[in-house]
Amino acid sequence: MKQQNYIGRFAPSPSGPLHYGSLVAATASYLQAKYNNGKWLVRIEDIDPPREVAGAANEILKTLEHFQFEWDQTPLYQSTRREQYRSAVNSLIQQNQAYACSCSRKDLANNIQKSELGKRYPGTCANKQLNTRETSLNLRLRTKNENINFQDITYGKLRHNLLKEIGDIIIYRKLDLPSYALAVTIDDAYQGITEVVRGYDLLAFTPIQIYLCQLLQLPIPKFLHIPIILNQQGQKLSKQTGADAISKQNCGSVLVQALKDLGQPVPENLEKESSGNDELGQIWNWAIKHWNVDNIPKIKQVYPSQN
Ligand SMILES: [Zn+2]
């Protein structure tokens, strides 16, 4: 059944040119929006200046355009939204849901506890009442000993207890840097996103996003995570692992490969006839009409399909 009033988004960070892994994520979110007769928005997540590469945002948009993605609004740049993130964190501080933490890296290394999800902050600064206006300190979100239940469209029912699993997490880094979880929560709500489609590597942020929505009284979107794409060494394709910029040649073949990695049964004749850039429209038409989320592989990661 199709969803009503669907609004989806693709939210790349401009840490380098678009690589194949991001193209697969863009394709999944685009098809899910188009299949549901919804809107598809692009958001540039440029709030982490040290990781950004000059010109990368434009390069990403150009590549998307080349692949004939069509977005329904002017792209939103997170760098223009700092006041909104600040105001959200201030509201959490006023509710006593956030506090300043003065732990150094060394303190954390000595005190951090192991948990199911890896590492857990033990709440060292929870009751110190440090100055939350001091920009040399990180701000942490108070987490609760309560289960957060949600249904991911690909991975099914999930349950997390933030306090037990990760403890009070940083939501605002020193020097005025909002965390991914905070910025994404504020912007998904601001843009009216009804469903978040993104890579499995971001699944761990979902219970935090839901918790922040509850505290800030924002609507909770649906979530659909997709497997992440690995390189031949088994690493996630990313700027850090040296993923190549996507080629603007043979866009048809690249798009067909992305569809196959998303489990969509591309007909052989369409595949054979669609290596070049001219056939992109034809592939999109097929893909939008036949898009089926149930076919997305329910695994955490995939190697790109060979051929
Ligand atoms: Zn601390």
Side-chain angles (χ1 to χ4, degrees):
M1 209 171 66
K2 298 204 180 193
Q3 300 182 41
Q4 301 287 311
N5 304 318
Y6 187 100
I7 305 179
R9 57 30 167 223
F10 173 58
S13 48
S15 54
L18 197 77
H19 58 74
Y20 179 68
S22 309
L23 181 84
V24 173
T27 303
S29 64
Y30 187 67
L31 289 173
Q32 184 63 351
K34 293 291 151 185
Y35 176 80
N36 287 295
N37 303 316
K39 287 186 179 161
W40 187 71
L41 312 182
V42 174
R43 178 163 77 228
I44 303 291
E45 301 204 326
D46 56 345
I47 38 162
D48 194 1
R51 291 186 50 216
E52 281 150 31
V53 173
N58 273 340
E59 197 52 45
I60 289 171
L61 293 174
K62 265 193 214 155
T63 307
L64 290 174
E65 227 169 314
H66 203 79
F67 273 83
Q68 296 179 12
F69 286 90
E70 289 170 11
W71 43 95
D72 291 294
Q73 281 174 17
T74 314
L76 179 71
Y77 286 75
Q78 287 195 321
S79 53
T80 65
R81 306 259 309 141
R82 292 192 179 278
E83 272 174 45
Q84 283 77 9
Y85 309 139
R86 206 1 113 179
S87 134
V89 84
N90 285 343
S91 142
L92 292 170
I93 292 167
Q94 275 163 17
Q95 296 175 46
N96 193 27
Q97 298 294 356
Y99 61 86
C101 163
S102 61
C103 295
S104 64
R105 272 172 200 270
K106 204 175 153 198
D107 295 334
L108 291 174
N110 290 336
N111 297 330
I112 215 95
Q113 299 170 339
K114 287 209 168 123
S115 77
E116 273 171 59
L117 280 191
K119 291 171 180 172
R120 179 184 177 279
Y121 176 72
T124 318
C125 302
N127 299 309
K128 286 188 184 167
Q129 312 220 328
L130 299 169
N131 185 357
T132 51
R133 288 174 186 276
E134 180 53 73
T135 57
S136 66
L137 301 180
N138 292 316
L139 296 174
R140 289 185 182 270
L141 179 69
R142 280 187 210 281
T143 50
K144 274 193 202 130
N145 186 12
E146 273 175 18
N147 285 329
I148 292 177
N149 300 295
F150 63 97
Q151 174 97 25
D152 184 82
I153 293 166
T154 310
Y155 298 100
K157 278 188 184 155
L158 297 163
R159 170 186 292 178
H160 288 282
N161 181 311
L162 293 176
L163 181 70
K164 285 189 181 163
E165 293 170 19
I166 50 175
D168 297 347
I169 37 155
I170 294 179
I171 46 156
Y172 224 90
R173 288 183 190 285
K174 52 188 159 191
L175 308 175
D176 216 26
L177 280 180
S179 70
Y180 169 78
L182 182 74
V184 91
T185 303
I186 301 304
D187 288 343
D188 281 338
Y190 171 69
Q191 295 192 288
I193 303 302
T194 59
E195 185 177 89
V196 172
V197 180
R198 62 187 173 193
Y200 181 85
D201 52 322
L202 297 169
L203 182 64
F205 289 97
T206 304
I208 306 170
Q209 183 165 353
I210 292 171
Y211 184 52
L212 282 169
C213 285
Q214 291 168 349
L215 293 176
L216 296 166
Q217 295 179 309
L218 300 171
I220 300 171
K222 294 183 184 178
F223 292 92
L224 192 173
H225 288 81
I226 60 165
I228 54 173
I229 306 292
L230 303 179
N231 63 18
Q232 294 308 324
Q233 288 75 46
Q235 301 160 312
K236 180 191 172 222
L237 287 186
S238 71
K239 175 83 172 133
Q240 289 73 25
T241 58
D244 293 330
I246 210 149
S247 159
K248 288 183 191 146
Q249 314 281 305
N250 309 324
C251 290
S253 305
V254 179
L255 182 57
V256 164
Q257 190 185 338
L259 292 169
K260 288 165 111 185
D261 285 337
L262 289 165
Q264 308 302 304
V266 181
E268 227 171 277
N269 62 335
L270 186 66
E271 188 179 347
K272 273 191 196 141
E273 290 161 15
S274 58
S275 58
N277 294 357
D278 299 340
E279 296 83 3
L280 272 171
Q282 208 182 324
I283 305 171
W284 280 125
N285 285 343
W286 179 87
I288 292 167
K289 199 166 162 203
H290 296 92
W291 172 245
N292 186 348
V293 279
D294 295 337
N295 289 337
I296 296 173
K298 290 172 181 44
I299 51 176
K300 294 172 189 172
Q301 44 205 24
V302 289
Y303 289 94
S305 55
Q306 304 295 306
N307 64 53

